[in-house]
């Protein structure tokens, strides 16, 4: 009969989660004074991971029966996965809430908390600040751990006598039989590794970058900064030099690919400059590579702008020219701002390099944010700050996204969220039945056309992902017989029809969807077409839906998450394109305000319409980043931590990151357009996230400085009874970038007979 029962713990009881026997305190240098005991992790009633007790209990304070229990848990944990122990706390969105089962064989009296009572101690994990792990060495035969609490107290050092501990000896024997005494990480096995491994199942720890032996427990950003290496503020700043071709002699073995990559980056005049430099300085083998026709052709191929966007681009260009220099500041204002910001550069290389991203939120850390009932124990802003600066691991991404998209209220309990899931399922089924049971509606031309658009688009969305792949082979394009070029699959653009697949109906029936996940995506989009009748389905929505479905794989939850996402993205798809045009105009003004020199250069290149950013903003960089990077960027943007329009600062970061190359090497519209288009799948997410955050913070400080200058001028003008000449006007578009409220723009009523998007 199993000892696991549903009986609740008493206040005086705990359930042992982990035990290491034969650990010692060394109060003096004499072995005779050593105190042997058990190091344990235990859980009391209604406890979360943060409430787990870390305890040292001397053997002489335990009864024979209790010692037997501690030893049984110690040896038994060798083959036990600690994650199978129910810890209460949050409940997964797709699981039923259930009572916590207690293993009575692990239940013991609560450990003593006072150091004075025979050297025992016990503290909650939430009270621990750091743990120093000292491995066994020639100078310290016994490995040990030093535990520091948040109130500055250092608990007695715990020594692991591995030659006496049954579990350590047994584990070492297993490793020896595997001919691997070092374990998975290549380090010598000892008892402290078992302890840290168990601890990290329950609480977030991060290794200090200053002292690798120190682990910070549930650290915040301040803790990490305090334990980061100090920078030499007086170190000389390297002067930026013009872009140069890499010195090929330093890496001759890889020269072929380096040179090809450099040449492929530029076109027209810039490409010719590079080739001239190669011709003058490169070794003979490299000159031979460059002289090949295939290499000379690199950079000359250029995909012309899509016709359907040309009219829109011209409108943006006209408006940009009308507002030209309106949002640029006078040089004296820039000088004042630069003086206060401490730099003549908008972003120095030092600022970029000294800033770093945090580690992603793990499942253990995410669960530590909640109390026993599943309610947040932190503020929403604290959680959003943590997500913004680190993102979340894939193991909890689905649940976190439901909070970020407000499918789950931030103040809900685990039980309330389970009830919500059931109500969402019911509401979705009711919506779906409206079109399933309406035969008359399904026979209308509009409905048939929308259904066909949806079916056609989902057949070509993210088909490289295993979840969306069919067994049949995908159609490929072969250049020519015997060609060395690999066959390629054509990737459609979200904003324009795919010409190569325009005649797919002649090859297969797009309505015959055999992949079950694509079928559910179709059902979701058709239901959304009915849910939002004015907007309906518009091409590009499949790109927004796909990541949500992959994470949830739950039709009803995916639908409601998609509707929440579309609340903020609907302005990108309205028929008159006013939402996209406004964002592009705002980005144009932001560029003038923050990067005036780059704006002036783009003006010379006839590229101030920022045509190349249309697709990036339309589907939030989904076609420019790798899949995992897209997921990370979206969850960061959903936090609205600084602003609900942080995607514009991310776009500005891309321009800022490439400013030097653009200014020094590109002089024509086609060169700029090709260069920006070629950045697709070559962007480095973390540096851009750092840059975008710094750009926003500097933008906010610039606005504050200008507002202060305006206030001083108004005071002077009032005293002198003169007009407000010299007051700097900051437009509503730029001030709106400081707001966290999501910008909502709904489509107007769709007239009878009007087609879909």
């Amino acid at each position: 009969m199993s000892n696991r029962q549903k009986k609740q713990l008493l206040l005086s009881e705990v359930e042992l989660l982990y035990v290491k026997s034969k650990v010692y305190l060394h109060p003096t240098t004499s072995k005779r004074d050593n105190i042997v005991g058990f190091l344990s992790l235990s859980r009391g009633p209604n406890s979360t991971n943060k409430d787990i007790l870390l305890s040292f209990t001397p053997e002489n304070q335990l009864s024979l029966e209790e010692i037997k229990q501690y030893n049984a848990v110690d040896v038994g944990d060798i083959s036990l996965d600690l994650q199978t122990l129910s810890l209460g706390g949050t409940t997964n969105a797709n699981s039923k809430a259930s009572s916590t089962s207690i293993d009575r064989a692990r239940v013991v009296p609560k450990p003593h908390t006072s150091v004075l009572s025979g050297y025992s101690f016990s503290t909650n994990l939430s009270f621990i600040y750091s743990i120093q792990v000292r491995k066994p060495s020639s100078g310290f035969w016994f490995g040990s751990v030093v535990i520091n609490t948040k109130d500055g107290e250092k608990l007695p050092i715990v020594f692991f006598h591995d030659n006496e501990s049954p579990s350590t000896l047994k584990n070492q024997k297993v490793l020896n039989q595997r001919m691997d005494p070092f374990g998975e990480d290549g380090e010598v096995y000892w008892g402290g590794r078992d302890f840290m491994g168990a601890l990290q199942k329950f609480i977030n720890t991060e290794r200090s970058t200053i002292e690798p032996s120190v682990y910070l427990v549930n650290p915040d950003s301040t803790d990490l900064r305090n334990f980061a290496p100090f920078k030499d503020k007086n170190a000389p700043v390297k002067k930026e030099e013009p872009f140069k071709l890499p010195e090929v002699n330093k890496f001759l073995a890889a020269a072929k690919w380096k040179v090809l990559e450099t040449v492929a980056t530029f076109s027209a005049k810039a490409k010719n400059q590079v080739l001239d430099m190669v011709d003058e300085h490169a070794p003979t083998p490299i000159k031979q590579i460059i002289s090949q026709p295939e290499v000379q052709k690199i950079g000359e191929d250029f995909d012309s702008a899509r016709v359907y966007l040309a009219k829109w681009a011209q409108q943006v260009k006209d408006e940009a020219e009308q507002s030209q220099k309106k949002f640029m500041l006078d040089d004296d204002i820039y000088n004042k701002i630069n003086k206060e910001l401490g730099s003549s550069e908008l972003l120095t290389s030092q600022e970029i390099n000294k800033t770093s991203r945090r580690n992603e939120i793990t499942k253990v850390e995410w669960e530590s944010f909640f109390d026993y009932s599943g309610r947040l124990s932190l503020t929403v802003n604290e959680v959003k700050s943590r997500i913004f600066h680190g993102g979340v691991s894939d193991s909890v991404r689905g649940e976190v996204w439901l909070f970020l998209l407000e499918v789950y209220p931030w103040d809900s309990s685990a039980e309330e969220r389970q009830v919500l899931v059931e109500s969402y399922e019911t509401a979705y089924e009711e919506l779906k039945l409206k079109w399933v049971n309406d035969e008359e509606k399904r026979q209308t031309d509009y409905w048939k056309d929308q259904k066909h658009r949806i079916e056609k688009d989902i057949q070509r969305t993210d088909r490289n992902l295993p979840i969306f792949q069919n067994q049949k082979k995908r159609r490929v394009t072969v250049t020519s017989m015997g060609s060395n070029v690999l066959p390629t699959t054509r990737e459609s653009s979200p904003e324009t029809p795919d010409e190569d697949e325009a005649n797919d109906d002649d090859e297969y029936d797009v309505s015959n969807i055999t992949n079950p996940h694509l079928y559910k995506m179709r059902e979701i989009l058709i239901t959304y077409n009915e849910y939002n009748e004015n907007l309906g389905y518009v091409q590009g929505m499949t790109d927004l839906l796909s990541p949500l479905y992959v994470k949830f794989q739950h039709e009803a939850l995916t639908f409601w998450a998609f509707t929440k996402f579309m609340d903020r993205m609907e302005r990108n798809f309205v028929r008159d394109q006013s939402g996209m045009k406004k964002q592009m105009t705002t980005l144009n003004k932001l560029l003038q305000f923050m990067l005036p020199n780059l704006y002036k250069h783009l003006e010379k290149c006839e590229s101030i319409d920022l045509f190349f950013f249309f697709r990036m903003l339309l589907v939030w960089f989904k076609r420019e980043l790798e899949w995992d990077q897209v997921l990370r960027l979206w969850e960061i943007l959903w936090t609205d931590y600084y602003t609900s329009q942080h995607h514009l600062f991310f776009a500005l970061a891309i321009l800022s990151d490439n400013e030097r190359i653009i200014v020094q090497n590109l002089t024509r519209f086609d060169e700029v357009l090709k260069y920006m288009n070629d950045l697709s799948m070559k962007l480095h997410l973390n540096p851009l996230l750092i840059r975008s955050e710094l750009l926003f913070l500097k933008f906010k400080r610039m606005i504050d400085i200008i507002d202060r200058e305006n206030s001083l001028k108004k005071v002077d003008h009032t005293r002198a009874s003169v007009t407000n000449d010299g007051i700097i006007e900051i437009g509503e578009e730029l001030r709106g970038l400081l707001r966290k409220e999501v910008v909502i723009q709904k489509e107007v009523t769709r007239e009878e007979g009007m087609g879909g998007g």
Side-chain angles (χ1 to χ4, degrees), residues 114-130:
S114 174
V115 176
L116 299 177
S117 59
Y119 289 100
S120 64
F121 66 79
S122 185
T123 184
N124 291 343
L125 294 185
S126 60
F127 293 155
I128 298 176
Y129 181 74
S130 67

Side-chain angles (χ1 to χ4, degrees), residues 543-600:
D543 279 290
L544 302 182
L545 174 63
S546 173
L548 301 181
Y549 180 81
V550 171
K551 284 297 101 190
F552 303 133
Q553 294 189 37
H554 183 291
E555 191 173 335
L557 282 180
T558 302
F559 172 81
W560 291 112
F562 180 67
T563 61
K564 296 288 188 179
F565 191 15
M566 282 304 302
D567 284 344
R568 72 165 73 212
M569 299 298 284
E570 182 166 345
R571 61 175 175 158
N572 290 12
F573 297 95
V574 294
R575 282 182 288 274
D576 64 1
Q577 296 187 341
S578 58
M580 280 298 299
K581 189 163 65 173
K582 184 174 182 179
Q583 290 178 76
M584 295 293 289
T585 302
T586 303
L587 179 59
N588 185 288
K589 294 173 180 178
L590 184 62
L591 174 62
Q592 293 182 51
F593 187 74
M594 298 289 289
L595 303 174
N597 292 333
L598 176 58
Y599 180 85
K600 292 173 184 176

Side-chain angles (χ1 to χ4, degrees), residues 613 616 621 623-626 629 650 654 657-658 676 678-688:
F613 271 116
M616 298 187 197
F621 307 92
R623 297 301 180 97
E624 282 65 43
L625 297 170
E626 299 289 348
Q629 292 179 320
F650 188 80
I654 295 175
D657 189 39
N658 291 276
M676 294 301 295
D678 286 348
L679 292 177
S680 179
M681 298 301 168
K682 299 175 185 175
L683 299 173
H684 300 289
L685 181 62
N686 278 343
L688 288 174

